[in-house]
């Protein structure tokens, strides 16, 4: 039977750099171009080693009196001649060679997660994406108009809208770039309209929170709600972009989105806390006034408001004493 | 973060405020300069003779940093006894009273070296202090509670801006009645550094003690009767070191509050009408009110502001003043803005702070606030009660109460009460009365 051996030149991470099929013997290995297997390594002799078929049908690898010799990788030892066994690893110079036969078993194929996430039709429909972009931008423009009680020209409003759009474009561009690098897909419009749509939904929650903070006076609950909204917004933002990208398994997407959300929330929380601790000679209500119908205001009797104040005195006296002791 | 969204705006406004304050102060200084340039025309009296006769009764008072011996604050003082007792302003020596371990008080005659002095008594409200020099005085003024008529010609002596002893002519122009302290209005150019010096008649009767200047030839004197009172209350012998005055400052501030801020201050005060609201107005004769209106250039909205405040201004330290009470109403009306835009505007008014700007972290805590929604007389208000404590004066607080009328989509009312140097209980009581006094009629 005809013997065939594959000599694989491995790189320093153990990946196959070059694979040579050898089916006629003897075959030489070395740096010279006359060799069957040419190795570009200055520690390798021009004619370093040879594989030959013995009469008993066994393949042998032998050293041709090279300067640096022929070495077994495991156990590390210098040899002059060695029988070729399946998956044999040897080192010549600084290069590791792996020798395999045709009947080498290989692992079954791994499922390609990145290809699995083909987007649903609506996520790539340009008309739908364009429409969501338009609606989202109109919503932002409207909010910016309602948010300012100052005199505004139409041009100011449009400029604000365009500026917002540009910011979103830059953001989507970053994701598309990453997408192109990592998964060979660009999907710019999908990234863009997703970011705008999520931003628009986020604003709905942010505004609801402002109303909540106005109706229920600010306290631990409203702060928790605020962080929940910001955290959830960030989580979905990162998760969505990763899904469009596409990269990572479902678990990986969840974990990395959660990490991103927690990190940003921690950063915001720390900066808000240090702001809160800072001394100031003025006070500023945390909430804004909102046009809410009287029945939703849950107004209480003045007594109830004033009877809760003595607790504040205790707190202030403690603060005054504590700072004096410092 | 709701409060962060507008932060850049707040900063901007703060800068504007600082700028305007700066402009105001520079204008004052400029005005002072001009005033000094056109000094009063020489009168028939021999100013030079008066100066020569009384100069040795006046000393420079300085607070120096203990380690370096460098001057921190200078003022003037004058002898009132043969034993070396001196009268000066509390604000001249307040830095020492606040930080006795970091500063010392010295007096300096016309010739000779600075001598250490001790503080024997203070009157924070009148801004006076009694000092004792380490050596007896050669000459002194004997004080009597003289009540001189308006128009009396006075000579004020002191060390303006660390220049040598100066004499300034001026006129006694009656009492400044807006303040409970009844200072004498002196028409003459007082300058920083002259604080604590005497204002005397040609015959050497002390009428008052130089205390402040409002620029443009307007100065104020503490009536001599206050110094007589303080001397009679102070133990003049014995002490060789200055005692701790923190408790004295505290009890004087609280006593002042008890006498000038009665429990029925709001209840017994007048009301003022703004739109459909009846609101607390001039609270007593010690309050001055003013009103203003503004129409936005594009007629988006208009505001009417009404504010009343007393003229009390008690110097506690370089960075802290107390005693002021202020109320302010802002009525904001719109025809053109829709409810969402209008409420953003309304919020800005509600969030703007109109209280005292003075104070440092060494002296005050941060404000603590509590917000609520209350129904009163058929109207609904968002209320905000904030307070901060004086760290070195336990039991003394600054209190603010704000209310914003809710429910109307075209009109808003922000009303605020700012109290300084009061007890917490009085702050609560007056805030309650304040809300109680607001009424609304269709």
């Amino acid at each position: 039977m005809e013997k065939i051996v594959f000599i694989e030149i491995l790189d320093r991470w153990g990946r196959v750099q070059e694979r040579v099929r050898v089916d006629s013997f003897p075959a030489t290995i070395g740096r010279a171009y006359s060799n069957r297997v040419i190795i570009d390594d200055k520690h390798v002799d021009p004619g370093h080693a040879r594989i030959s078929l013995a009469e008993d049908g066994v393949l042998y690898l032998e050293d041709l009196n090279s300067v640096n010799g022929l070495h077994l990788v495991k156990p590390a030892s210098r040899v002059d001649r060695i029988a070729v066994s399946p998956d044999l690893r040897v080192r010549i110079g600084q290069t590791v060679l792996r020798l395999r036969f045709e009947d080498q078993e290989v692992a079954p194929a791994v499922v390609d997660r990145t290809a699995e996430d083909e987007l649903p039709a609506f996520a790539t429909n340009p008309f739908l994406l364009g429409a969501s972009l338009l609606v989202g931008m109109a919503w932002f423009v409207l909010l910016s108009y309602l948010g300012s009680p100052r005199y505004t020209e139409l041009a100011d409003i449009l400029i604000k809208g365009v500026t917002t759009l540009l910011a979103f474009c830059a953001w989507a561009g970053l994701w598309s770039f990453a997408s192109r690098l990592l998964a060979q897909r660009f999907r710019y419009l999908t990234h863009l309209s997703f970011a705008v749509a999520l931003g628009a939904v986020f604003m709905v929650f942010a505004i609801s929170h402002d109303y909540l903070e106005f109706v229920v006076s600010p306290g631990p609950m409203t702060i928790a709600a605020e962080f929940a909204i910001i955290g959830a917004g960030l989580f979905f933002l990162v998760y969505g972009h990763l899904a469009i990208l596409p990269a990572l398994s479902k678990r990986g997407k969840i974990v990395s989105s959660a990490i991103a959300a927690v990190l940003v929330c921690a950063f915001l929380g720390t900066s808000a806390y240090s702001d809160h601790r800072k001394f100031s000679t003025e006070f500023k209500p945390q909430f804004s006034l909102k046009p809410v119908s009287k029945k939703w205001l849950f107004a209480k009797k003045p007594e109830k408001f004033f009877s809760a104040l003595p607790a504040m005195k205790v707190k202030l006296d403690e603060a005054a004493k504590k700072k004096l002791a410092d | 973060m709701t409060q962060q969204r507008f932060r850049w705006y707040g900063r901007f406004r703060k800068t504007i405020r600082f700028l305007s304050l700066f402009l105001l102060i520079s204008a004052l200084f400029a005005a002072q300069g001009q005033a000094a340039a056109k000094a009063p025309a020489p009168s028939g009296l021999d100013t030079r003779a008066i100066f020569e006769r009384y100069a040795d009764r006046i000393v420079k008072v300085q607070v120096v940093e203990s380690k370096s011996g460098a001057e921190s604050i200078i003022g003037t003082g004058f002898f009132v006894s043969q034993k070396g007792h001196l009268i000066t302003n509390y604000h001249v020596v307040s830095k020492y009273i606040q930080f006795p371990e970091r500063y010392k008080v010295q007096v300096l005659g016309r010739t000779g070296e600075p001598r250490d002095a001790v503080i024997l008594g203070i009157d924070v409200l009148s801004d006076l202090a009694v000092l004792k020099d380490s050596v007896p005085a050669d000459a002194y003024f004997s004080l009597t509670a003289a009540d001189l008529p308006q128009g009396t010609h006075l000579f004020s002596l002191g060390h303006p801006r660390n220049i040598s002893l100066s004499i300034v002519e001026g006129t006694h122009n009656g009492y400044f009645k807006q303040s409970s302290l009844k200072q004498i209005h002196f028409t003459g150019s007082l300058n920083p550094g002259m604080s604590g010096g005497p204002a005397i008649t040609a015959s050497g009767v002390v009428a008052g003690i130089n205390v402040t200047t409002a620029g443009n030839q307007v100065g104020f004197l503490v009536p001599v009767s206050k110094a007589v009172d303080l001397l009679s209350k102070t133990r003049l012998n014995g002490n060789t070191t200055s005692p701790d005055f923190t408790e004295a400052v505290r009890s004087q501030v609280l006593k002042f509050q008890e006498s000038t801020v009665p429990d029925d201050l709001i209840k017994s005060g007048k009301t003022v009408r703004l739109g459909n609201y009846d609101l607390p107005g001039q609270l007593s004769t010690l309050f001055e009110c003013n009103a203003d209106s503004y129409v936005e250039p594009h007629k988006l909205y208009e505001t009417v502001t009404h504010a009343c405040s007393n003229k009390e201004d008690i110097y506690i330290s370089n960075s802290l003043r107390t005693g002021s009470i202020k109320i302010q109403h802002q009525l904001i009306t719109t025809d053109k803005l829709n409810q969402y835009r209008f409420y953003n505007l309304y919020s800005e008014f509600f969030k703007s702070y109109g209280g005292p700007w003075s104070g440092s972290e060494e002296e005050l805590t941060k404000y603590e606030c509590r917000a609520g929604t209350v129904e009163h007389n058929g109207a609904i208000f968002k209320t905000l009660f904030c307070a901060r404590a004086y760290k070195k004066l336990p039991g003394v607080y600054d209190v603010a109460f704000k209310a914003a009328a809710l429910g109307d989509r075209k009109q808003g009312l922000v009303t605020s009460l700012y109290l300084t140097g009061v007890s917490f209980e009085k702050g609560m009581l007056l805030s309650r009365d304040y809300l109680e006094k607001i009424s609304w009629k269709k």
Side-chain angles (χ1 to χ4, degrees):
Chain A
M1 197 187 83
E2 199 189 5
K3 279 269 180 189
I4 298 172
V5 68
F6 292 88
I7 299 174
E8 296 172 331
I9 304 169
L10 304 183
D11 65 12
R12 72 183 72 182
W13 293 286
R15 293 178 304 202
V16 177
Q17 200 175 35
E18 202 183 331
R19 182 176 285 131
V20 182
R21 181 188 152 108
V22 180
D23 51 8
S24 62
F25 305 95
T28 53
I29 302 169
R31 191 148 44 85
Y33 289 87
S34 56
N35 289 296
R36 181 73 186 85
V37 179
I38 306 163
I39 295 169
D40 182 21
D41 179 343
K42 63 183 177 186
H43 305 98
V44 169
D45 278 43
H48 197 115
R50 180 172 59 200
I51 300 181
S52 44
L53 189 61
E55 280 165 14
D56 53 0
V58 177
L59 281 175
Y60 284 96
L61 179 61
E62 57 189 317
D63 187 8
L64 298 177
N65 288 322
S66 64
V67 174
N68 293 310
L70 172 68
H71 299 262
L72 257 180
V73 172
K74 246 179 210 172
S77 60
R78 185 168 178 160
V79 291
D80 285 335
R81 188 164 182 267
I82 186 169
V84 178
S85 54
D87 226 16
L88 173 74
R89 279 168 198 244
V90 293
R91 180 169 63 77
I92 59 172
Q94 289 188 350
T95 306
V96 175
L97 302 179
R98 184 168 68 190
L99 290 86
R100 281 182 165 176
F101 295 108
E102 235 178 345
D103 56 357
Q104 174 74 33
E105 270 186 32
V106 292
V110 174
V111 178
D112 181 3
R113 298 276 173 203
T114 63
E116 197 185 43
D117 293 78
E118 273 314 319
L119 296 177
F122 72 85
T124 47
N125 181 332
F127 292 105
L128 218 56
L129 296 184
S132 103
L133 210 58
L134 279 181
V135 171
M137 288 319 297
W139 174 233
F140 280 115
V141 168
L142 178 72
L143 287 184
S144 115
Y145 170 72
L146 293 180
S148 157
R150 312 265 163 257
Y151 178 77
T152 28
E153 301 275 0
L154 183 64
D156 296 339
I157 298 168
L158 292 181
I159 284 172
K160 259 189 190 170
V162 171
T163 316
T164 317
L165 183 63
L166 284 178
F168 276 109
C169 287
W171 170 255
L174 287 177
W175 281 101
S176 297
F177 182 62
S179 188
R180 181 73 184 76
L181 280 185
L182 298 177
Q184 311 285 326
R185 292 163 175 86
F186 202 55
R187 293 178 175 171
Y188 181 74
L189 197 55
T190 313
H191 278 292
L192 178 61
S193 49
F194 166 72
V196 169
L198 192 74
V201 173
F202 177 78
M203 286 315 288
V204 173
F205 278 95
I207 292 165
S208 317
H209 178 265
D210 285 357
Y211 274 83
L212 174 82
E213 211 171 34
F214 167 68
V215 173
V216 187
S217 296
M221 200 188 93
T222 55
I223 294 173
E226 188 167 332
F227 278 97
I229 292 168
I230 294 172
L234 282 163
F235 178 84
F236 287 120
L237 183 70
V238 177
Y239 188 90
H241 281 301
L242 285 176
I244 299 167
L245 194 62
L248 305 177
S249 62
K250 191 163 188 178
R251 198 189 138 98
K253 271 182 268 189
I254 290 175
V255 170
S256 34
S257 316
I259 289 174
V262 167
L263 281 182
V264 176
C265 282
F267 173 76
L268 290 178
T270 318
S271 92
Y273 180 70
S274 79
D275 260 16
H276 167 78
R277 296 258 304 187
K278 221 169 268 169
F279 177 76
S280 161
T281 52
E282 53 182 312
F283 59 81
K284 190 167 231 173
Q286 277 178 32
F287 56 88
S288 299
L289 302 178
K290 297 286 171 197
V292 174
S293 152
K294 279 186 180 180
K295 66 179 171 187
W296 293 110
L297 286 171
F298 308 114
K300 297 189 177 87
K301 287 197 167 131
E303 290 78 39
K304 200 140 191 217
F305 175 74
F306 286 103
S307 65
L309 296 179
M312 184 194 288
K313 186 188 176 195
V314 176
K315 209 171 163 188
L316 280 174
D317 289 347
E318 266 169 24
K321 264 186 219 144
K322 203 173 110 197
K323 293 279 171 58
L324 266 184
D326 283 351
Chain B
M1 311 242 76
T2 323
Q3 72 269 46
Q4 276 161 10
R5 236 172 270 154
F6 285 107
R7 184 164 322 125
W8 64 270
Y9 174 72
R11 280 210 183 126
F12 174 66
R13 207 157 47 179
K14 218 171 179 179
T15 317
I16 294 274
R17 242 177 232 165
F18 263 112
L19 259 179
S20 36
L21 193 69
F22 174 74
L23 284 177
L24 190 74
I25 289 171
S26 15
L28 270 180
F29 271 108
Q32 268 186 4
Q34 279 171 10
K38 33 177 178 154
S43 65
L45 294 156
D46 191 349
T47 314
R48 185 185 156 76
I50 293 168
F51 180 82
E52 284 304 326
R53 194 160 158 211
Y54 299 112
D56 57 351
R57 301 181 187 185
I58 320 286
V59 291
K60 186 165 116 181
V61 177
Q62 56 186 28
V63 174
V64 297
E65 204 274 321
S66 306
K67 283 184 191 136
S68 61
E71 252 171 35
S72 177
I73 297 171
I74 57 140
T76 308
F78 58 96
F79 288 112
V80 293
S81 83
Q82 193 267 324
K83 285 177 180 167
H85 291 108
L86 289 155
I87 291 283
T88 186
N89 283 140
Y90 162 78
H91 79 251
V92 172
V93 294
S94 72
K95 210 161 190 176
Y96 170 80
I97 287 170
Q98 252 200 314
F99 306 108
E101 67 287 354
R102 278 161 41 188
Y103 297 95
K104 57 184 177 181
V105 182
Q106 293 180 330
V107 298
L108 193 60
R110 283 181 86 187
T111 54
E113 289 296 300
R115 301 179 297 263
D116 284 350
V118 291
I119 303 173
L120 298 180
I122 56 162
D123 180 349
V124 180
L125 310 181
S126 308
D127 198 354
L128 291 177
V130 182
L131 270 57
K132 189 170 180 294
D133 195 350
S134 44
V135 296
D138 298 331
Y140 61 92
F141 292 107
S142 49
L143 303 185
T144 47
D147 192 5
L148 298 165
Q150 183 166 1
T152 308
H153 208 81
L154 295 177
F155 300 86
S156 169
L157 290 131
H159 291 90
R161 297 165 191 264
N162 213 1
I163 313 167
S164 60
L165 183 63
S166 309
I167 185 162
V168 171
E169 288 186 67
T171 317
H172 181 311
N173 258 315
Y175 292 97
F176 178 64
K177 293 189 185 68
Q178 223 73 42
S179 156
S180 61
L181 302 172
K182 292 228 165 63
Q183 291 176 338
I184 297 170
H185 171 200
F186 174 77
T187 310
S189 297
L190 295 182
N191 281 303
M194 291 180 76
S195 287
I200 57 175
T201 63
S203 56
V205 174
V206 178
I209 297 98
N210 308 334
V211 61
T212 48
T213 170
N216 279 335
Q217 302 263 35
V218 179
F220 293 102
L221 309 173
V222 180
V224 69
S225 58
K226 299 282 186 187
V228 173
D229 284 352
L230 177 61
L231 282 168
S232 71
K233 273 186 228 158
T234 306
R235 242 184 90 219
L236 295 176
N237 298 313
N239 276 344
T240 49
T241 53
S242 311
D244 183 0
F245 286 104
T246 319
E247 181 51 35
V249 175
R250 180 182 113 92
S251 65
Q252 287 175 17
V253 169
L254 282 173
K255 213 169 133 195
F256 173 78
Q257 174 226 204
E258 273 160 32
S259 63
T260 60
V261 192
D263 284 351
D264 64 349
L265 179 74
I266 308 271
K267 273 186 183 158
S268 63
K270 291 180 187 164
T271 56
V272 62
R273 181 148 254 258
L274 225 69
N276 291 328
Y277 296 93
D278 276 326
L279 301 159
Q282 192 184 21
L283 299 179
S284 76
T285 51
L286 293 176
F287 281 77
E288 248 180 29
C289 299
N290 59 68
D292 210 348
S293 72
Y294 170 77
V295 179
E296 202 269 340
H298 298 277
K299 297 201 166 56
L300 288 180
Y301 62 89
E302 53 182 87
T303 60
V304 179
T305 307
H306 186 273
C308 297
S309 59
N310 66 1
K311 296 286 160 245
E312 312 293 356
D313 181 21
I314 300 166
Y315 184 102
I316 303 267
S317 77
N318 193 24
S319 55
L320 182 61
R321 276 143 190 271
T322 192
S324 72
I325 295 176
K326 179 181 166 189
I327 58 181
Q328 182 179 297
H329 315 297
Q330 290 164 305
L331 187 76
I332 311 124
T333 319
T334 186
D335 284 329
K336 289 190 178 171
L337 294 175
N338 65 44
Q339 52 173 322
Y340 303 103
R341 298 185 75 195
F342 176 65
Y343 265 66
N344 278 315
L345 177 77
Y346 192 16
S347 282
E348 282 177 19
F349 278 92
F350 185 66
K351 286 185 176 186
S352 84
Y353 173 77
W357 283 96
S358 75
S360 69
E361 199 172 0
E362 277 180 316
E363 297 162 305
L364 294 165
T365 65
K366 276 182 56 175
Y367 274 108
E368 282 286 334
C369 289
R370 195 184 157 83
T373 313
V374 303
E375 183 164 9
H376 165 67
N377 282 349
I380 294 181
F381 295 92
K382 194 81 195 176
T383 49
L384 187 71
F385 180 94
C386 298
R388 60 179 177 183
Y390 288 50
K391 287 180 184 169
K392 292 186 178 174
L393 312 176
V396 184
Y397 303 81
D398 285 349
V399 170
F401 177 72
K402 269 192 164 195
L406 301 177
D408 197 325
R409 272 138 213 232
K410 291 286 172 192
Q411 190 183 67
L413 171 84
V414 175
T415 175
S416 328
L417 168 70
Y418 295 100
L419 302 160
T420 62
V422 295
S423 70
F424 194 87
E425 289 70 22
K426 187 155 278 182
M428 280 202 318
L429 176 82
L430 295 183
S431 300
R432 256 229 80 142
D433 289 351
Y434 190 82
L435 178 66
E436 200 63 42
K437 195 142 182 155
I438 298 171
S439 65
W440 176 79
K441 284 176 200 96
K442 192 110 201 182

